[in-house]
Amino acid sequence: MRGRPRPAGRKPDKAPAREIELYIDKLGSEGVGVARLDGKPVLVAGTLPGERVRARVEGGQGAITQLIEASTDRIAPACHHFGSCGGCALQHLAWEPYLAFKRDLVVEALRRQGLGDVAVGATAASPPGSRRRATLEAKQAGGTLLLGFHGRSSHHIVDLGECPVLLPELAALLAPLRKLLKVLLPAGAGATIQLAAGPGGVDLGLMLPAVPDMEQLERLSAFAEVKDLARLWWRADGMAPVPAAQRRSIGLRFGTVPVDPPSGGFLQATAAGEAVLTAAVVDALAGAERVADLFAGCGTFGLALGQRALLHAVESDPAALGALASAARRAGLGFVSTERRDLDARPLLVAELKRFDAVLFDPPRAGARAQVVNLAASSVPTLVGVSCNPATFARDARILVDGGYRLESVLPVDQFVWSPHVELIGRFSRR
Ligand SMILES: C[S@@+](CC[C@H](N)C(=O)[O-])C[C@H]1O[C@@H](n2cnc3c(N)ncnc32)[C@H](O)[C@@H]1O
């Protein structure tokens, strides 16, 4: 029998909140404990498998009110913002099971695509305090300048006094940046801060609500001076980045090649993660003579191959590609060619792929579906895929396997410590 019709636009009444005892079965993909209640999953942040908790449950979400029985894998979190800050989900989990969780994310994504028999290595870790790239938010709110990451499942900014994830030189900028932005931002205004660091120093970018006036620009360049930043740039409302202080390079090298990434450009999130990925790329491509580096950025992997192969780097961002090309020119690398191209709209064609004996692809989170379809129809002997999204990597891997490639091995790489994100590298060979 059908019930009385609901008035238009009114949602069915949600079950009222209730406090209840729950048993946590597993960790979900967001690093959140999952219990079952009335046959449905309930997500309880801050819990671990095997724990018994009391939680206030509303909809499919539970907020822990009491930890009745703790997991033996539970440890004290490293940061006093843990729980409120949305940057970390898993500081309360011991290191080994934490790394195993990250590996499981990769295994599960592959299994869902029927690739459960692929050899997946142990997660290559990046230690806490090693993140060299981060985006923070700031807001001038009621006389207080908030600076930090967004809160867990919220748009509020958690004002960070510390951040054990970041490199110490980046964490040390939190307090001075707060002071700077307090003077710079008008009431109610917000800004986005992009931090990157290399051996030569820090690159600080500010996305501001308006073009700074002369006095503010002087303040910015004085800040760069006092904090000994390598570079400070700003941009407002869709403008290209404008340098406020360009004091030196941040000192990055890919292999032996010095590279100056563009303001706000992509950079692998930790030096440790980049080293593991680069070593795996170099190993997988040993012996290749003509390599295509697709989604090349400013050359993290391609330039690290050095003289081993003729390199064709393809990338849609002109600033990144320009940085790669100038680095290759300065280093006298005549074997590097570059091509600006949107690989989603215009993937390399099967005929174009014929000239390569290896192809490396490292797309953004959405993956490389269009390019992979052409690779699957190609005869390139060796492929290497790097990804920050196991689900789209597994989807693309399925296309390649169906096209006759073998996914030989996958290595999970953790560059976003204590978050539920994981990266990976996989190598394929033609069967
Ligand atoms: C995950 S980053 C990898 C960059 C580089 N491999 C590295 O490790 O530094 C992905 C790169 O793909 C580029 N990109 C995004 N969409 C693209 C597209 N449709 N075609 C070509 N390049 C694209 C981005 O600009 C970015 O440089």
Side-chain angles (χ1 to χ4, degrees), residues 254 266-268 274 277 293-302 314-317 320 341-345 360-365 367 386-388:
F254 299 146
F266 180 86
L267 190 61
Q268 295 294 336
E274 181 190 302
L277 291 169
D293 179 5
L294 308 184
F295 307 92
C298 46
T300 306
F301 303 126
V314 186
E315 160 66 47
S316 63
D317 175 17
R341 181 155 170 170
D342 179 336
L343 291 165
D344 295 332
L360 162 69
F361 58 99
D362 178 17
R365 287 192 73 72
V386 179
S387 169
C388 57

Side-chain angles (χ1 to χ4, degrees), residues 38-332:
D38 306 331
K40 293 190 184 138
V42 179
L43 308 180
V44 192
T47 61
L48 295 174
E51 292 191 330
R52 208 167 276 290
V53 301
R54 279 190 79 75
R56 190 179 152 77
V57 177
E58 196 168 4
Q61 303 289 329
I64 181 167
T65 55
Q66 189 192 349
L67 179 58
I68 300 169
E69 204 177 310
S71 160
T72 50
D73 289 338
R74 180 173 279 275
I75 58 169
C79 174
H80 77 269
H81 299 294
F82 182 66
S84 57
C85 176
C88 290
L90 288 163
Q91 285 188 14
H92 58 315
L93 178 58
W95 196 242
E96 289 306 322
Y98 160 77
L99 292 178
F101 164 75
K102 295 244 161 157
R103 179 178 180 276
D104 287 348
L105 292 175
V106 174
V107 170
E108 178 57 17
L110 291 170
R111 193 193 58 75
R112 283 179 186 210
Q113 292 291 345
L115 300 170
D117 55 348
V118 172
V120 178
T123 309
S126 294
S130 67
R131 261 281 279 288
R132 63 178 182 182
R133 168 168 70 81
T135 302
L136 303 174
E137 298 297 330
K139 192 166 173 74
Q140 190 82 269
T144 306
L145 191 290
L146 304 175
L147 171 67
F149 296 111
H150 284 134
R152 204 178 253 186
S153 322
S154 100
H155 289 294
H156 292 295
I157 296 168
V158 174
D159 196 33
L160 292 182
E162 62 172 340
C163 181
V165 164
L166 298 178
L167 277 172
E169 60 266 41
L170 295 183
L173 283 174
L174 289 170
L177 257 175
R178 187 174 287 109
K179 271 196 197 154
L180 172 76
L181 292 166
K182 186 157 175 58
V183 191
L184 223 56
L185 293 180
T192 300
I193 298 99
Q194 271 190 307
L195 294 166
V202 172
D203 182 22
L204 168 64
L206 301 173
M207 268 61 76
L208 298 171
V211 174
D213 60 24
M214 277 312 284
E215 193 190 323
Q216 289 171 324
L217 284 175
E218 276 164 24
R219 221 179 263 285
L220 291 179
S221 68
F223 185 82
E225 197 74 27
V226 171
K227 293 293 153 202
D228 192 26
L229 303 182
R231 176 168 63 181
L232 193 161
W233 55 273
W234 61 271
R235 98 182 137 82
D237 219 10
M239 292 169 64
V242 183
Q246 173 72 63
R247 302 180 65 243
R248 60 183 180 273
S249 150
I250 63 168
L252 288 180
R253 279 173 190 269
F254 299 146
T256 57
V257 184
V259 180
D260 256 335
S263 309
F266 180 86
L267 190 61
Q268 295 294 336
T270 66
E274 181 190 302
V276 169
L277 291 169
T278 301
V281 167
V282 169
D283 181 47
L285 300 187
E289 290 176 356
R290 286 153 301 141
V291 173
D293 179 5
L294 308 184
F295 307 92
C298 46
T300 306
F301 303 126
L303 292 177
L305 288 173
Q307 310 274 359
R308 290 179 185 83
L310 287 177
L311 181 78
H312 186 59
V314 186
E315 160 66 47
S316 63
D317 175 17
L321 201 62
L324 192 164
S326 352
R329 219 174 13 254
R330 278 196 308 267

